Amino acid sequence: MTGLCDTCKHQKLVPNTRGSVFSMCERSKTDPRYPKYPRLPVKQCPGYVSVSR
Ligand code: SF4
């Protein structure tokens, strides 16, 4: 649903009060090059780190 972010270690899924879930990039906390809520789907990302879930 979010492209690369779905399988990235740095993704955090954040639910809001209306029942939607946003894909937040935790890299944004330490690196200003990454938006907090990246425009989806993310097709290419230099900060991508694969995780299995
Ligand atoms: S580092 Fe890239 S792929 Fe990973 S969550 Fe952030 S924007 Fe998505």
Side-chain angles (χ1 to χ4, degrees):
M1 144 190 142
T2 66
L4 275 183
C5 297
D6 271 341
T7 56
C8 179
K9 184 166 135 39
H10 301 290
Q11 183 196 49
K12 187 168 183 218
L13 292 175
V14 183
N16 75 1
T17 49
R18 287 180 302 184
S20 306
V21 179
F22 289 87
S23 175
M24 191 180 113
C25 177
E26 291 209 306
R27 269 197 192 268
S28 65
K29 289 182 183 166
T30 53
D31 193 330
R33 288 175 301 170
Y34 298 90
K36 189 168 183 188
Y37 295 104
R39 202 184 233 283
L40 304 177
V42 173
K43 296 244 164 74
Q44 280 195 338
C45 178
Y48 174 77
V49 179
S50 158
V51 71
S52 45
R53 353 183 168 182

